[in-house]
Structure formats: C-alpha cells, structure tokens
Amino acid sequence: VSTYIKNIEESTKETTEVKEEKLLKIYEAAQIEIPEMVKRSLAEVTQFHSELLATRNVRLRNELAKQKRALEEIDSKIVELGSRMDELLDYLNSHGALEEYVALTKQLSSLQNELNRIQEYQKILKTYRENKRRIKEEMIKQDKATDEYLDEESGYLEELRNKYWEYAKRFYPKKKSGLVIKNNTGENLLRYSLEARIEDDSSDGVNEVRMFCFDWLILNCEISKMRFIAHDSRLFANMDPRQRETLFRIVYETCCKKDFQYICTINEDALESFEGIMSTEDYKNIVRDNVILELNDDAPESKLLGIQIDIDLEDKSKVTDDIA
C-alpha cells in the first residue's frame, strides 16, 4: 500500500501543461512560419490536454485519499495486534509457559541433532553392508576360481605331493606322510590351505625333518631363480643321526644332478653323530670335501661374521651390563 501511495503522489506532481505561447516560441526559434489555422489547432489541443490533466488529477487525489485511509486502518490493526501479543506474552511469562517453551525448543534441537547423527550412522552402516556384500561376492568368485585352478593343475599338484612323499619316506619309511593342498574358503588372508605332514611331527626331530622336506621341495620346484637354500644348525639339533645322514645324502644326490647349492651351519658333534653310519668314502665325498669354513668360539674373529653378535632368537629380554 505504501508503495502504491508513493506512486500516486509522484504522478500528481507530474505536469504536462504545454503553454501555447511557449510552443509558438519554439517554432519561431526554428524560423518556421506557423499559419493562423495551426495556431488555433494548437490552442484547442492545449485546452483539451489541460482538461484531461484536471480529470486525471482528480482521480489520482481520490485514489490517494482512499489508499491513505486503508493504510491508516492497517497501521491501527498492527498496533492492536501488537498490543494483544504483548498481553499474551505477559500472561505466558507470568505462568512459566515461556520457560517451558524454551526448554521444549532446546529439547527439539537436541533431538534434531540426534536424528542427524542417527541418519549419518545409517548411511555409514549402509555403506558398510554394501562393502561387506561386495567383498563376500568377490571371495565367492575367488573360491570358485581357486577350485577351478586346483582341478586344472591336479596333475602338477599330484607331482608335488609325490615328491614330498618320496623325501619323507627316505627318512621314515614306516610313517604316514603327505602334502595337503586345499582351497582355504571363508574369511581369511590365505588363499590356500597348505599342510606338509609326517606322522608324529609334533616331536622336535620329526618336525625338523618335515621342515627340511618342505623347503627342499620348494627349491626343487624351481619356481624362482633361487638355486640355493640355507639352514641353521638349529634344524639338526633334535634329529636322530640316521635322519641327519639321510638329509645329507638327499642333498648330495640332488646337487650333483642339478645346479643347486646347499648351505648349512652344523655343530661338530652333529656331524660326528652319523660318521659311523656312512662309509669312509661317502663321508669324505658328502661331508668333508664340502666343508667350506670351520668356525669356533675361541674369539670373535673365528665366528661367521668376525664379530660378536648376541641375537635374541626367542624374544627374551637379556641384561648383559652386569655380566663379568
């Protein structure tokens, strides 16, 4: 309404009265001869325009008065409603309703925040479930591909089992042994379940033979460019002398046929334990002629690296500061 009234007031200020004399002067300045007939026509047009403006101004003044009355009524209504709102607020305040309203507003805000957190959690949970389902689908595909591979390579796998079985039988002819290769299904990080077994391999001596057979099988598969294998003296610690003798025979036979190298550290008493089992010539060819370096503990220079190294192989803390 206020904008409408402003527009009416600006319209009433505008005037388009055009004086006849002023118009004639404009034409005379332009040195144009204006006939008397044209002068009479201009006078008539001017009079008509003045009457039109008068009528228009009357209409605008009436409309302006009408809109001002409407504006006064609106202002009066606003004042009345404002006064009524103040009365209601005073009433609510006197009865503690506003405090309750503020408390409810805070509770609503808290519940809205909780709702937002729950919705965000639901999105995360949905993403987690989708990823979990995708991973399960991928694992099923891998399980299927693994089964297909085991079927396709059954001949090669059987050859590996036979090799392992032959090594184990050289050590223990009467014990059951074998190599088990299976698809390791389910939730795990290992694609295959691989078990090299020899009956009674829970004992240290048999377990050491089992480890040697498996390591020697890997070397003989020639799946990499590695052409040697190394074992520490701990491998021979609990072996029976007969198993030690068999181990060195297998190593010697294979290295003579293939371009392999076997490196091991073994204590002198372990070597002497099977010397009587071998013939003098075999012991010389297999053992003595292949001794590359003899180590002892009389000084650090006589050890493998030429220095003293204390390695905690069993993850036991050691205090050496107070040792004399």
Side-chain angles (χ1 to χ4, degrees), residues 45-58:
V45 169
T46 301
Q47 182 180 359
F48 172 77
H49 188 65
S50 297
E51 293 174 354
L52 183 62
L53 283 175
T55 304
R56 177 174 174 269
N57 287 337
V58 171

Side-chain angles (χ1 to χ4, degrees), residues 111-130:
L111 292 175
Q112 185 64 43
N113 293 334
E114 185 68 21
L115 175 62
N116 292 336
R117 288 194 296 269
I118 292 174
Q119 290 175 342
E120 187 66 24
Y121 170 76
Q122 288 177 339
K123 292 180 181 178
I124 296 174
L125 184 61
K126 181 180 179 182
T127 302
Y128 165 77
R129 288 173 177 171
E130 290 176 352

Side-chain angles (χ1 to χ4, degrees), residues 241-284:
R242 294 170 299 174
Q243 275 68 58
R244 295 170 184 164
E245 186 264 347
T246 302
L247 185 151
F248 278 95
R249 282 192 181 277
I250 293 175
V251 168
Y252 180 74
E253 293 170 1
T254 306
C255 289
C256 289
K257 295 178 182 179
K258 298 183 179 181
D259 188 20
F260 288 165
Q261 183 182 25
Y262 182 68
I263 304 171
C264 71
T265 59
I266 184 170
N267 295 329
E268 184 177 4
D269 60 335
L271 284 176
E272 293 175 350
S273 66
F274 62 89
E275 182 177 4
I277 302 176
M278 286 185 172
S279 65
T280 303
E281 183 179 358
D282 286 346
Y283 191 81
K284 175 179 178 299

Side-chain angles (χ1 to χ4, degrees), residues 74-89:
I74 292 173
D75 290 339
S76 177
K77 191 66 174 178
I78 290 174
V79 172
E80 180 182 351
L81 292 175
S83 177
R84 179 57 178 165
M85 185 178 68
D86 291 339
E87 292 177 1
L88 293 174
L89 288 175

